[in-house]
Amino acid sequence: MKPPTEAERDAIVKDLLCSNAINHHQAYSAYVHFYISLTCPAAEGAVIQVDDSIFRSHEDILECVRCIRANSTLTRRQFEEASFRQNNSARHPEDTPDRHLEDATRTVVRLGFMLDSALKAKYSSEFSVGGYSPSSWELNEPFNDFVERAIPKQHVASVEVKWQNKALRAWKLRKRQKVKFRATDNIMEHLLYDPQTRIVRVFHHTAYLKAHLWRTQSQQIDLDVQSSLKLGSLPPQLMLETLDSFYCILFPISVDRTGRSRRMLESLIEKKGFDINSKWDEGHIRKLSEEIKYFYWGPRLEKLRDLVKNPSPQNRLISWIERHTSERNALTVAIVGLFLSAFFGFLGVLVGLAQLWVSILAWKNPV
């Protein structure tokens, strides 16, 4: 499939982001780049595209996204049957391999909702990062159930988050904890910290978040998943927490008088592909009646807070010592130290007595 034209890019942005978008695709360059990278790999530098795309046009993709919006209770099997096998606009309506259908579904979900519906298939069943295990949209699972399972909402909000604002600034985590930050296009991975690599993944598409908060600004902040999907968005609370954690915790560019947050963010935009729109903090988009409470990202922020309170070792020697230190080992070392102290103390007494004896002999037999 060819890259979208200017008119098609405007249509994509209006349909998938915000119908009232100003400057359209120019204002959403990061998202448009992401869209093209998924639908037109050749345009992104791929040498050859092995499999023909199931989609004939960009309108096919938009139709599939609309299908999920209108029927969020569809299972993946039902969605693929309705959108691909029975869709006359699809290139291979009958004999498309299941693997191609799953790839096409993954593309639709990633573009429509910034979720990776086949992430679990990329890892082993035991794989886990920072206590998080990848999720996938199962064949007989309704889409709204997948969303709720992939990004679980806590029943009780985390209330001890705001005081950590200064401690959890990205530049401080990088300087003091040697943490690295990587952009992710999958909102499921936002604020995910990998202690092995010391990498924190950040959902960087701030333009997407702002557009969807505009999209749902007339709705209640606690709108449920199914109702949110009908509007073409993820829950407003999730979008708000993600934007707030970006601008009020990690990169408070509007209030950080040192300028370090802005300089670090500009560096990540230039070198790590963060959304260029993130340079502009436009607030929370919608009016807030009270302080933001974290129902989605609280546990991950707690992990970062624990990292600040109990920093992990930053070199192999200290890491080895900590791994081999236990209460039993500590007691053994203490006992050995006690005996060594007594032994060397006894040796000191013997040396002292020998020196006294030599002094007495020297006094009795002066030269």
Side-chain angles (χ1 to χ4, degrees):
M1 187 163 57
K2 294 181 179 180
T5 63
E6 294 289 309
E8 287 175 327
R9 294 185 186 196
D10 280 343
I12 290 167
V13 166
K14 287 183 178 180
D15 201 314
L16 299 183
L17 297 181
C18 183
S19 59
N20 297 324
I22 301 175
N23 295 329
H24 305 317
H25 67 268
Q26 290 92 343
Y28 300 95
S29 56
Y31 178 82
V32 172
H33 176 80
F34 172 62
Y35 179 97
I36 294 174
S37 70
L38 291 183
T39 60
C40 314
E44 295 297 307
V47 177
I48 186 171
Q49 187 171 339
V50 178
D51 298 321
D52 287 339
S53 173
I54 287 180
F55 307 108
R56 283 184 174 179
S57 67
H58 297 285
E59 181 60 27
D60 282 354
I61 296 175
L62 297 181
E63 282 294 334
C64 288
V65 175
R66 295 179 194 127
C67 177
I68 294 181
R69 289 179 189 169
N71 307 278
S72 63
T73 57
L74 286 177
T75 65
R76 200 185 91 212
R77 186 194 301 276
Q78 291 170 334
F79 167 73
E80 292 174 354
E81 186 71 23
S83 298
F84 304 134
R85 296 196 185 278
Q86 297 176 4
N87 189 347
N88 293 329
S89 66
R91 181 168 295 180
H92 308 291
E94 295 296 338
D95 57 353
T96 305
D98 290 342
R99 179 176 62 84
H100 292 183
L101 294 178
E102 185 174 358
D103 290 343
T105 299
R106 181 182 181 224
T107 297
V108 170
V109 174
R110 292 185 73 185
L111 294 176
F113 306 97
M114 305 302 278
L115 298 169
D116 194 332
S117 62
L119 190 62
K120 185 178 180 181
K122 293 177 174 289
Y123 302 97
S124 65
S125 57
E126 294 83 15
F127 180 81
S128 176
V129 176
Y132 167 78
S133 298
S135 300
S136 292
W137 186 9
E138 302 298 337
L139 200 58
N140 296 308
E141 179 181 34
F143 182 70
N144 58 305
D145 287 353
F146 159 66
V147 174
E148 293 177 351
R149 181 171 56 84
I151 312 178
K153 183 179 181 180
Q154 307 298 312
H155 295 294
V156 180
S158 296
V159 295
E160 298 182 2
V161 172
K162 286 296 182 181
W163 76 271
Q164 290 293 340
N165 279 6
K166 292 185 178 181
L168 296 182
R169 289 179 179 179
W171 70 265
K172 288 187 177 182
L173 291 173
R174 182 175 67 175
K175 180 179 179 180
R176 299 172 182 175
Q177 314 303 332
K178 307 304 179 185
V179 170
K180 299 182 283 284
F181 291 85
R182 295 292 182 269
T184 179
D185 303 312
N186 180 10
I187 199 171
M188 295 156 61
E189 296 181 332
H190 183 59
L191 295 179
L192 191 60
Y193 173 65
D194 184 351
Q196 299 298 321
T197 59
R198 307 184 76 85
I199 289 177
V200 173
R201 293 175 174 84
V202 179
F203 182 75
H204 67 104
H205 288 277
T206 54
Y208 177 91
L209 294 171
K210 296 170 187 176
H212 278 253
L213 283 169
W214 275 111
R215 193 182 198 116
T216 59
Q217 64 176 330
S218 62
Q219 306 296 322
Q220 295 293 326
I221 190 64
D222 58 351
L223 193 67
D224 63 88
V225 171
Q226 189 171 348
S227 300
S228 300
L229 293 175
K230 286 183 179 180
L231 297 174
S233 179
L234 293 173
Q237 177 70 35
L238 172 63
M239 296 299 198
L240 186 64
E241 286 184 31
T242 307
L243 191 67
D244 185 76
S245 62
F246 191 97
Y247 283 121
C248 296
I249 296 181
L250 294 179
F251 304 102
I253 57 178
S254 298
V255 297
D256 187 356
R257 296 180 180 179
T258 67
R260 293 183 178 181
S261 293
R262 179 171 294 278
R263 288 195 296 271
M264 181 175 177
L265 181 56
E266 290 176 348
S267 175
L268 291 172
I269 292 172
E270 180 182 355
K271 299 177 181 179
K272 301 298 181 182
F274 273 52
D275 188 351
I276 192 172
N277 173 274
S278 62
K279 291 197 298 185
W280 298 285
D281 181 0
E282 302 174 56
H284 294 105
I285 307 301
R286 57 185 295 154
K287 293 182 180 179
L288 303 177
S289 59
E290 58 183 8
E291 185 178 353
I292 296 176
K293 297 179 180 179
Y294 279 71
F295 289 92
Y296 289 96
W297 303 132
R300 294 186 184 180
L301 287 170
E302 290 292 335
K303 287 185 179 295
L304 292 180
R305 185 187 71 171
D306 291 341
L307 176 64
V308 172
K309 281 188 171 184
N310 306 295
S312 56
Q314 298 179 11
N315 59 65
R316 294 183 178 180
L317 176 60
I318 297 178
S319 178
W320 184 90
I321 292 175
E322 288 194 359
R323 284 199 311 270
H324 292 82
T325 298
S326 64
E327 293 184 1
R328 181 176 180 180
N329 290 341
L331 179 61
T332 302
V333 171
I335 294 174
V336 171
L338 178 63
F339 277 108
L340 289 177
S341 298
F343 174 71
F344 286 113
F346 179 69
L347 289 181
V349 172
L350 294 180
V351 171
L353 291 174
Q355 289 177 337
L356 178 62
W357 177 249
V358 171
S359 299
I360 293 175
L361 291 179
W363 176 69
K364 287 185 176 182
N365 303 290
V367 178

